[in-house]
Every structure is written in structure tokens, then in C-alpha cells.
Amino acid sequence: MAAEAVVRIQSDWDQVLRKNEGEAWLSCRSPGKSTLYGTLTCQGVGADGIPEITASEGFVVKEVTKKSLLVSCPRENASTRFWAPYTAFCRIHQKSVTCLDLSSGGGLGVSTSADGTMKIWQAANGEIRRRLEGHVYDVNCCRFFPSGLVVLSGGMDAQLKIWSAEDGRCVATFQGHKAGILDTAIVDRGRNVVSSSRDGTARLWDCGRSSCLGTVVDCGSPVNGIALGGADNTLNLGSPETAPSEREIGTEGKLLLLAREDKKFQGVGLQSRQPVFLFVGSDAFNCCAFLSSIYLLAGAQDGNIYQLDVRNTKAPVRVIRRSGAPVLSLLPYKDGFIASQGDGTCFILQQDLDHIIELTGADCDPVYRVATWEKQVYTCCRDGLVRRYHLSDL
């Protein structure tokens, strides 16, 4: 298991290190060794607005920009680029922001909150455009359809709803789950959608008729997260026992991933409804994602992120572990992925980079979800903030 050295930094480093002689703490923790602690000090701010920063013994500052800092710890051969948020929106919600997504054009955001609201806002400035009202109790998940004009949401009320992003109307409600909906996925352009629930099932729905096309899987344990993708051609997804309804559009060749509460990560053929693989992990699985048609990711409650090869899921390709906090979201990004965790860490791992990227700002508050559009990354957090990062030189 690859438990690598982890470099951490004070969450508000970008504000502290803008003041002359301002100091921020640093640490480098490596399994089985004593943690190395250090400080960064601002020696003044240049005419270009970029601070001059020096590090205490054991750390090296390699590069400083207005919003990022590349620091290495030579002892552990560990380098991390810390990115501070470009801006943070504090007025969208009053409480913890539990889910968010961005429209395909990057112009709009949608988010849900523990304050009971779901809102559509302008991605550039956080200005609220629409309030989506109609769920009873909390809304757990929200996402845009590929068109960017329609939103899909799932709530504790066991209902799935479709909304117009243009006028905020609820245009369809799907009922059938027996407990709260925890995640959703959209099939191709969105004639069909999939939902997963605390009731242990994942269901396929016909959006045009607001009807359930069938239960894809019933595993008897809450399905915390799902992901849908095209499977590698060599993979046998099984054959459906009965001919699929003509209302099923785009389900062929699709693999549905399920992150289950009972420590199991499962793959099921969406059209066949047949099990494809079952992997048992070390703790409850919270989220999952496709890295490619072959490589899959699953994030667990104990902080482990498993990378699996769909052609042989007996043992993971690798296990990534940056902290012991629950992995709350996984999102493919460029040739790697973004993960967010329950202790406020949010990191980007990319194959061609020799360093980790950490998105900073959350101080020990869980980062629940991440959404991207081009070089913009948005996160939502228990502290009630939606943070926007501008990763200019990635």
C-alpha cells in the first residue's frame, strides 16, 4: 500500500503570508517516522504582489505565485503545490453546503445545503438565480443534465426531481425508492437516469414518462455513491434476462459502479442487470469514479482510495491514502483525479506531475463535493462556503 509522506500547511497561509514577517506552519508526516514541523515566513511582498517566502530547516520553497506555493520536504522526497481559493462564495447558503455541480458551459452552479435549500447561481460571482423548492426534508444530491438547462436532484424524501434551470420549475417527480436518495447518474444525454438509495437499490428511470424502468440492483445495503461509464470492450457485462424496454436509451455497454455501505464496491451491467465484479474493502465505500474504461476508483470511510483494473478486481492496482479521514468525493480530472475528505483535505493526483496539488482553505471542515469546468475547480464545504480555484498553469 502506497502510504506516502504528506506535506500539510496552515489553511489560511495565503492571507497570513501576505503580511511582512507573517508566519504559517508546515508539517511533513511519513508513516512510521516522526513528523517534521516547520514554518514559512513572509520576507516582504514584491511590486508584482507576490510575497517572498522562506522556509525553516527541512523544507524548501520552490515556487511562489499569487495563489499558489510549491514546497518540498527533501528528507521524504515529497513535494506539494498548495492552491489558495481565487474567491469564496459565502452568501449562497446559510449552512453546510452538501453537494454542487456546474453546467456544461461553466456558466451556472447548482448546490444543496443543510439549510434545506437548493439553489442555482452564477458560477462567476455566486449570485443566486433560482431557488428550487419542492423536496420535503434535505436534498442530498444535485447535478446538471448535459444540456446545462435542466437539473436532477435526489432527497431524503425518497424522491427524484427534474427542474428547469431557466425558471426553477419542477417538471417531473419520480417515486419508487423506499428511503432517501444518496446519488444519481445520467445516461448519455439524459433520456434515462439512475439513482441509488439508502434502501439498498439502484433504479433506472425514464425521464419522458417519469416512470421506473426497473431495479438495476438490490444489494440490501445503502448505496452511498454511483458512477456510470462505458466499459472496456473485453469486459463481459452479461445479457439481460428479458428484452429491454424500448424506453431504455443508451444503457448498452454501460457499467454501473456502486459504492456500498457494507464495505463492498460492485460493478453491474446497466442493461443486463447482471453483476460484473464485487470487491471487498476495509470500510464502508462512500464514492466511486471511472478513471478510464479500464481503471476505476473507490473511496472508503477510513481514508483509503482503491484503484482497480476492471479486468481483474481481485486485488487493487494501488491504494492511495493521504489521511485517515473519510473519502467523500472522487472526480476524474485531466489524466488523474480530485479527491475530497472529511478533514478538509482536497487533493489532485496527476500521473505526469512529480508533486501533489492541495486545494487549501477548509480548516478541518469536510469538503463534500468537487466540480470542475476547464481550469476552474469548485468545492463545497461544511463551513458553508463554495470555494472557487483557478488552476492557471496546470
Side-chain angles (χ1 to χ4, degrees), residues 6 8 29 286-287 298-305 320-330 337-348 356-359 362-370 379-382:
V6 177
R8 294 253 184 267
R29 186 174 50 84
N286 294 327
C287 51
Q301 186 70 12
D302 60 5
N304 284 342
I305 298 170
I320 299 142
R321 184 183 173 86
R322 301 272 302 162
S323 91
V327 182
L328 301 178
S329 78
L330 290 166
F337 65 89
I338 308 179
S340 73
Q341 295 187 257
D343 58 0
T345 51
C346 185
F347 68 88
I348 305 178
I356 291 259
I357 291 165
E358 286 264 2
L359 304 180
D363 186 9
C364 302
D365 278 304
V367 175
Y368 293 115
R369 200 61 72 102
V370 180
T379 64
C380 66
C381 181
R382 189 174 67 185

Side-chain angles (χ1 to χ4, degrees), residues 191-192 205-209 211 213 244-249:
R191 302 269 293 276
N192 294 171
W205 304 87
D206 174 357
C207 293
R209 291 185 180 165
S211 63
L213 290 167
S245 153
E246 78 281 355
R247 303 288 300 177
E248 266 193 44
I249 314 287

Side-chain angles (χ1 to χ4, degrees), residues 196-347:
S196 74
S197 164
R198 217 176 277 281
D199 67 12
T201 68
R203 290 170 182 257
L204 180 69
W205 304 87
D206 174 357
C207 293
R209 291 185 180 165
S210 303
S211 63
C212 183
L213 290 167
T215 299
V216 182
V217 65
D218 185 350
C219 59
S221 170
V223 182
N224 294 322
I226 55 175
L228 188 61
D232 184 62
N233 302 339
T234 59
L235 197 65
N236 179 12
L237 295 179
S239 304
E241 287 171 7
T242 53
S245 153
E246 78 281 355
R247 303 288 300 177
E248 266 193 44
I249 314 287
T251 56
E252 195 179 351
K254 298 282 194 313
L255 178 66
L256 180 68
L257 306 179
L258 307 139
R260 296 170 32 169
E261 183 68 25
D262 60 0
K263 306 185 184 179
K264 289 172 182 159
F265 174 45
Q266 185 177 13
V268 176
L270 182 59
Q271 190 183 70
S272 71
R273 324 277 203 261
Q274 303 290 329
V276 175
F277 73 84
L278 187 67
F279 174 80
V280 181
S282 50
D283 205 341
F285 282 106
N286 294 327
C287 51
C288 52
F290 282 85
L291 266 182
S292 67
S293 62
I294 291 172
Y295 292 115
L296 317 173
L297 290 173
Q301 186 70 12
D302 60 5
N304 284 342
I305 298 170
Y306 295 87
Q307 182 179 332
L308 296 179
D309 183 326
V310 72
R311 298 163 302 186
N312 178 10
T313 58
K314 285 190 178 65
V317 177
R318 63 173 176 163
V319 182
I320 299 142
R321 184 183 173 86
R322 301 272 302 162
S323 91
V327 182
L328 301 178
S329 78
L330 290 166
L331 184 70
Y333 185 71
K334 311 241 170 152
D335 61 356
F337 65 89
I338 308 179
S340 73
Q341 295 187 257
D343 58 0
T345 51
C346 185
F347 68 88

Side-chain angles (χ1 to χ4, degrees), residues 86-120:
Y86 181 77
T87 184
F89 304 133
C90 58
R91 295 205 176 100
I92 299 174
H93 295 287
Q94 302 305 308
K95 288 185 182 169
S96 171
V97 188
T98 49
C99 188
L100 92 166
D101 193 26
L102 292 178
S103 64
S104 50
L108 294 176
V110 62
S111 55
T112 60
S113 167
D115 64 13
T117 64
M118 176 166 48
K119 296 175 183 176
I120 291 176

